[in-house]
Amino acid sequence: MKLEIKNVSKHYGRKKQALQDFSLTIENGILGLLGPNGAGKSTLMKIIATIHKPTNGIILLNKNNIIKDANYMRGQLGFLPQDFGVYPNLNAFEFLTYIAAIKGVGGNALKTRITELLDGLNLLHAANKPIGSYSGGMKQRVGIAQALLNDPKIIIFDEPTVGLDPEERVRFRNLISDLATSRIVILSSHIVSDIDVIADQVAIMKKGALLAKGDLQYIIKEVTGKIFEVSIDSSRFSDFKHDQFVLSATRSQGSITVRYFSENPVEGSIQKKALLEDAYLHLTKS
Amino acid sequence: MKPFLNVILLDYIIRIRSYSFLIILYITTAISYTFVPEPNANYSTIRIGEHVGYYNSAWFGYVTAIMTSIFLSLLGFYLVNNSIKKDLNTKVGQIIASTKIKNFTYLLSKTLSNFLVLLTIVFIIFVMSLVLFFLYNDGFDFELAQFIYPYIIITIPSVFFIAVLGVVFEVLLGKYSIIQNIMFFFMFSFLLLYSPQKEIEYAYDLLGSKIVIHQMEETVRSILPVEKADTDMTIGYVLANTIQAKKFKFNGVEFSLVFMSSRLLWMILGILLIIILSPIFHRFTVREYSLPKKRTKSRHIEHTPKEIILSTLPIPHTKLSMLPLIKTEILLLIRKGSLWLWLINGTGIVLLTTLNIKTAHQFILPILWFLQVHRLSDITSKEIQNHTFYFISSSFRPLQRVLTSQIIAGCCLMLFLAAPLLFRYAIEMSVLEILSIALGAFLIVSIAIFLGIITKGKKLFEVFFFFVTYANINVIPVVDYFGGTIKNTSHTLIIMCMTIIICSLSFLKRKLEINR
Ligand SMILES: Nc1ncnc2c1ncn2[C@@H]1O[C@H](COP(=O)(O)OP(=O)(O)OP(=O)(O)O)[C@@H](O)[C@H]1O
Ligand SMILES: [Mg+2]
C-alpha cells in the first residue's frame, strides 16, 4: 500500500487556508499525526477519507487518483471521524450492522466479526443496549469498531483515544499494533505518549504545513543532547523563560524545575534523554 | 439587564441565520403577496357575501393584518415551538442549566426571541401590504395610520401570545412534540370557530380578527336592503370567483378602549403564564434516552474482554445488498418517538378498516399519515442531527444505496399504515385508488426527504405537511396528493411526475454534497 499526497491545499471560504501545498508519502505502518489545535489534521484526514475535496493537489492510493475515483478509496477505508455521532435508538450490534451495510460488506463472517470486535473493545456486555445509554468512552469505542468492520486496508483514526480511560487506551494500542504489517494506519492524537508508543512514523504539522516527518529516532535527533533540566528559584522563572526555550516546568516548594531546549545550557543543568514530546514542542513552538 | 438582552438577541440571530428561516421568509413573502388579490384575480381572500372592499388603505391594512394574525398563529406556532428542544438536542441546555440563570429569565428570553422571530415575519408582510397598495393603486389616498393600527392592535399582540404558547407547550409537554402539535391544532380550530355575541366578548378573541370581520359585515349590511342581506363572511382562498364582486367602502375600525386594553391583558396573561410555569420547567434534566423497561436478566458476571488479533478475524465479503440498510431505516422509523404513539396509529388502522371507505380515504388516511410527520422529517435530517453524516459520505457508493433505502423505508411505513385501505380497494378492484395512495405515499416521502436534504432540518417539512393535511381535511382539491377527492388518471400522472422530479432533485443535491 502506498498513499501519496501531492501538493494538497484546502481553503474554507475565501480567507481560511487549512492546508497549504501539503505533500506526504505514507507506506504500510502506523503514522502518527501531531499538531496543535487547528493545524489541519482533521482536514487532511477528511480529504484522504474522500469526505472533502481538496482545493488543489492530488492524492494517489496505489497510483489511483482517489479524488477522481473516490470509490477506490472508500472500498478499502476505515475512518473514525473526530466528531461523529450515533443513532441513539440502535444498540451497538444494530448500529455496526447498519454501518457494515453502508460500507457494502456482509455475509456470515460479518456477524462473527462484529461480535469479536465488540469483545475486543470491551463492549460485548452492553451490545444489546441502545447506544443512547452509553458513556462517552463507550461511544468512542463503537466508533473505533465501525472503522474496523470491513477489514480496511487503510485506516484513519482522528483522535481515537479521546475519552478512553488508561486501560482502554492500552487495549486500543494493542488492538491496532498488529495491523501495521500490510496496512496503512494514520492516527492523530494530542497525547504524545500514545503516538510515541504505537507509531512507526511521525508527522508533525502546524498551520496547514508539514514541519517534519520520519521515524521516532529521526524526529528526536534534532533535539537529542540539547534537552536539559535545571532547578531555579521561582522569582527567576520569568527571566529564564525570556532567555531560554522552556519546554515544561514543575513547581516544588519555592523552586521550579525547568525542562528546556538549549545549545549551550546554563550552569547546574543536567542533560536529559530527549523525548518525542520535546521534539514536538520544539518544532511547533518555535 | 444587558446580558439578558444579549441572550435574546443572540438567540434570535442564530435562528434567523438558519437556512430554513430563509426559506420560510421566501414562502411568507409569496403567501403574503396573495393576501390581497390582484384586481382581476379569480380568487378572493376575504369576502362578505358578494362584496369585497374598495382597494383603499384601510382594506389593505386590515385585511393583511388579520390574515397575518390567523396565518401566523398557525404557522408561527409550529415555527417556534422547538426553541427549548434545540437547546436540549445541542446539549447547550446542559451548559445553561449549570449557570445562574433563573428559569423565568430563561423561559422569558426564549419567549422574546420567539416573538422577535415572528415579528420579523410580520414586518415582511407589513412591507408587502404597503407594496401591494401602491401596486394595485386604485386612486385612493395613502393613509399610513390605517396600516399601522391594525398591525399594532391586532397582529402583534396575538403573535406575542403565540410566542408564549410555543414555550408553554414545550414546558408542559417536553419531548412529546407530536402531542403539542395536535393539541395546538385543536386549540387553534376552537379559536377560529369562536364567535363573540356581545361587544365585550370580542376581548376574548385572541386572534383579534373577529372585531374587524364584524365591522366589515356591519358596513355591508348597512348598504344592502334588509331582505337580501347576504353577509356571510368567507376567509381563506375561495377559488373560481369569476363573478365580479360588488364593492363596499371599508374605513377601518374604531377600537374601543376595552378592546385595546384586552390586547394588553392578553400579553400580560402570557407573561403570567411563563411565571407560573417557571417552577416546573425541567431545566434540561430530562432523560434524553430511556432504557427499555423490560430488563433482560442483567448478567452481572464480571466479564473480562478478550484480547483479539485483528488480522485473524473473519473477513466479511462484499455485499451490496440494500436489504440490511432498508431494515435499519425501518427500525429507526419505528423506534422514533415513544412507543405508545403506536397505539394512536393502531386506532387509525382500525378506523381505516371499519369506517366507510370514502371517509377512511378522504379523512382518516391523511391524518394517520400526518401523525408520522416527525418520523418522515427525520429520515434525511437525522444524519446531520446525529452527526453520522461522515460515515455515510465516506462509504462505498453511498448515494444510490443509502438514499434509495431511505425512500423505500419511508414508503414502507406509509404503505403499511394504509394497508387496510389498500386491501379494501383491492377487493373492489379499484386500481386507480390503489395507485393514487401508493403514489401519494411516495410523493410525501420524497418531499420529506428533499426538504430534509436542502434545509438539513425538520421544521420546514413539518410545517409544510401540516398545512397540506389541514387543507386536505378542508377538502381543497389542489393539495390532494393521495387521491382523496380527485379521481382521474391525469391527476395521478401529475403526482407521478412531481414525485420523479423531487426525487431526482434530492439525488442531485446529495450528489453535490458528497462530492464536496
Ligand atoms: N468547515 C470549516 N469551515 C471553515 N473553517 C474550517 C472548517 N473546518 C476547519 N476549519 C479551519 O481549518 C483549520 C484546520 O482545522 P482542523 O479541524 O483540520 O484542525 P485540527 O488539526 O484537526 O485541530 P484539532 O486538534 O483541534 O482537532 C482551523 O483553523 C479551522 O478553523
Ligand atoms: Mg481535528
Side-chain angles (χ1 to χ4, degrees), chain B residues 140-257:
Chain B
F140 290 98
D141 286 341
F142 174 63
E143 298 163 74
L144 190 60
Q146 296 282 32
F147 286 89
I148 291 181
Y149 274 133
Y151 274 91
I152 292 199
I153 294 170
I154 292 169
T155 318
I156 292 182
S158 71
V159 157
F160 179 82
F161 201 79
I162 295 298
V164 171
L165 282 184
V167 169
V168 166
F169 273 71
E170 273 198 280
V171 171
L172 285 178
L173 290 166
K175 52 182 180 174
Y176 302 111
S177 46
I178 186 89
I179 303 192
Q180 296 180 35
N181 292 353
I182 296 170
M183 275 184 56
F184 178 78
F185 178 65
F186 279 115
M187 202 176 129
F188 178 79
S189 310
F190 175 76
L191 280 175
L192 272 190
L193 291 177
Y194 173 68
S195 74
Q197 302 299 331
K198 290 198 245 63
E199 176 77 37
I200 182 81
E201 286 175 6
Y202 287 107
Y204 303 142
D205 176 26
L206 169 62
L207 301 181
S209 54
K210 300 278 154 38
I211 195 166
V212 180
I213 292 163
H214 176 73
Q215 178 74 49
M216 289 176 177
E217 286 173 348
E218 285 297 299
T219 318
V220 173
R221 218 167 273 153
S222 69
I223 59 168
L224 276 185
V226 191
E227 63 271 19
K228 43 186 273 193
D230 173 14
T231 57
D232 273 353
M233 162 87 187
T234 48
I235 286 196
Y237 293 86
V238 184
L239 280 166
N241 177 26
T242 35
I243 4 147
Q244 196 62 48
K246 298 195 181 103
K247 297 277 171 121
F248 74 100
K249 187 156 193 273
F250 179 65
N251 278 329
V253 182
E254 290 274 338
F255 292 111
S256 68
L257 198 62

Side-chain angles (χ1 to χ4, degrees), chain B residues 327-360:
Chain B
K327 212 175 104 192
T328 314
E329 292 289 349
I330 291 180
L331 206 62
L332 283 167
L333 281 176
I334 293 175
R335 288 198 189 152
K336 172 92 193 157
S338 37
L339 213 58
W340 61 266
L341 278 172
W342 277 97
L343 283 180
I344 303 183
N345 285 346
T347 318
I349 291 177
V350 170
L351 289 179
L352 279 187
T353 323
T354 50
L355 285 184
N356 103 28
I357 200 157
K358 191 159 178 285
T359 321

Side-chain angles (χ1 to χ4, degrees), chain A residues 141-198:
Chain A
R141 280 179 273 147
V142 174
I144 294 170
Q146 69 69 39
L148 298 168
L149 275 177
N150 53 336
D151 187 38
K153 297 286 178 292
I154 169 158
I155 306 159
I156 302 175
F157 287 120
D158 200 350
E159 307 210 13
T161 51
V162 155
L164 298 192
D165 65 32
E167 198 184 326
E168 294 300 338
R169 261 166 53 201
V170 172
R171 206 192 310 282
F172 171 74
R173 275 188 282 198
N174 295 342
L175 187 68
I176 66 162
S177 59
D178 89 303
L179 288 175
T181 45
S182 58
R183 293 173 176 80
I184 292 176
V185 181
I186 306 174
L187 63 96
S188 74
S189 176
H190 288 290
I191 303 169
V192 181
S193 58
D194 271 354
I195 302 276
D196 204 342
V197 182
I198 34 180

Side-chain angles (χ1 to χ4, degrees), chain A residues 35-43 45-46 81-83 158-159 188 190:
Chain A
N37 289 142
K41 304 182 293 295
S42 300
T43 305
M45 291 175 136
K46 279 187 237 168
Q82 184 175 9
D83 47 353
D158 200 350
E159 307 210 13
S188 74
H190 288 290

Side-chain angles (χ1 to χ4, degrees), chain B residues 72 76 180 379:
Chain B
L72 206 53
Q180 296 180 35
I379 296 181

Side-chain angles (χ1 to χ4, degrees), chain B residues 3-266:
Chain B
F4 175 61
L5 291 180
N6 280 340
V7 169
I8 298 171
L9 217 62
L10 268 174
D11 204 50
Y12 168 69
I13 289 172
I14 292 169
R15 286 161 75 178
I16 59 167
R17 243 199 235 143
S18 74
Y19 191 50
S20 51
F21 188 73
L22 197 70
I23 297 177
I24 299 271
L25 279 191
Y26 275 131
I27 295 174
T28 321
T29 318
I31 291 182
S32 60
Y33 176 74
T34 65
F35 277 179
V36 180
E38 191 251 307
N40 299 318
N42 61 348
Y43 72 98
S44 66
T45 49
I46 288 194
R47 185 181 170 94
I48 293 101
E50 294 179 343
H51 289 73
V52 296
Y54 283 115
Y55 277 14
N56 59 4
S57 296
W59 183 256
F60 276 95
Y62 281 83
V63 165
T64 56
I66 61 176
M67 289 293 281
T68 310
S69 175
I70 293 170
F71 156 81
L72 206 53
S73 301
L74 194 52
L75 174 88
F77 177 80
Y78 295 102
L79 206 60
V80 297
N81 101 314
N82 65 346
S83 57
I84 297 176
K85 197 170 168 201
K86 217 171 230 166
D87 280 349
L88 191 66
N89 289 345
T90 54
K91 309 240 154 87
V92 174
Q94 296 183 359
I95 300 174
I96 293 169
S98 68
T99 64
K100 282 196 300 190
I101 194 166
K102 291 203 178 62
N103 280 356
F104 171 69
T105 322
Y106 175 73
L107 294 181
L108 188 66
S109 72
K110 283 291 166 195
T111 309
L112 293 180
S113 83
N114 282 353
F115 180 52
L116 283 181
V117 167
L118 297 180
L119 216 51
T120 312
I121 298 179
V122 171
F123 179 74
I124 301 266
I125 301 179
F126 177 76
V127 172
M128 181 55 102
S129 71
L130 296 177
V131 170
L132 287 180
F133 175 80
F134 288 108
L135 206 63
Y136 305 151
N137 197 346
D138 235 0
F140 290 98
D141 286 341
F142 174 63
E143 298 163 74
L144 190 60
Q146 296 282 32
F147 286 89
I148 291 181
Y149 274 133
Y151 274 91
I152 292 199
I153 294 170
I154 292 169
T155 318
I156 292 182
S158 71
V159 157
F160 179 82
F161 201 79
I162 295 298
V164 171
L165 282 184
V167 169
V168 166
F169 273 71
E170 273 198 280
V171 171
L172 285 178
L173 290 166
K175 52 182 180 174
Y176 302 111
S177 46
I178 186 89
I179 303 192
Q180 296 180 35
N181 292 353
I182 296 170
M183 275 184 56
F184 178 78
F185 178 65
F186 279 115
M187 202 176 129
F188 178 79
S189 310
F190 175 76
L191 280 175
L192 272 190
L193 291 177
Y194 173 68
S195 74
Q197 302 299 331
K198 290 198 245 63
E199 176 77 37
I200 182 81
E201 286 175 6
Y202 287 107
Y204 303 142
D205 176 26
L206 169 62
L207 301 181
S209 54
K210 300 278 154 38
I211 195 166
V212 180
I213 292 163
H214 176 73
Q215 178 74 49
M216 289 176 177
E217 286 173 348
E218 285 297 299
T219 318
V220 173
R221 218 167 273 153
S222 69
I223 59 168
L224 276 185
V226 191
E227 63 271 19
K228 43 186 273 193
D230 173 14
T231 57
D232 273 353
M233 162 87 187
T234 48
I235 286 196
Y237 293 86
V238 184
L239 280 166
N241 177 26
T242 35
I243 4 147
Q244 196 62 48
K246 298 195 181 103
K247 297 277 171 121
F248 74 100
K249 187 156 193 273
F250 179 65
N251 278 329
V253 182
E254 290 274 338
F255 292 111
S256 68
L257 198 62
V258 177
F259 184 76
M260 289 203 275
S261 28
S262 75
R263 301 299 97 189
L264 196 64
L265 281 175
W266 273 109

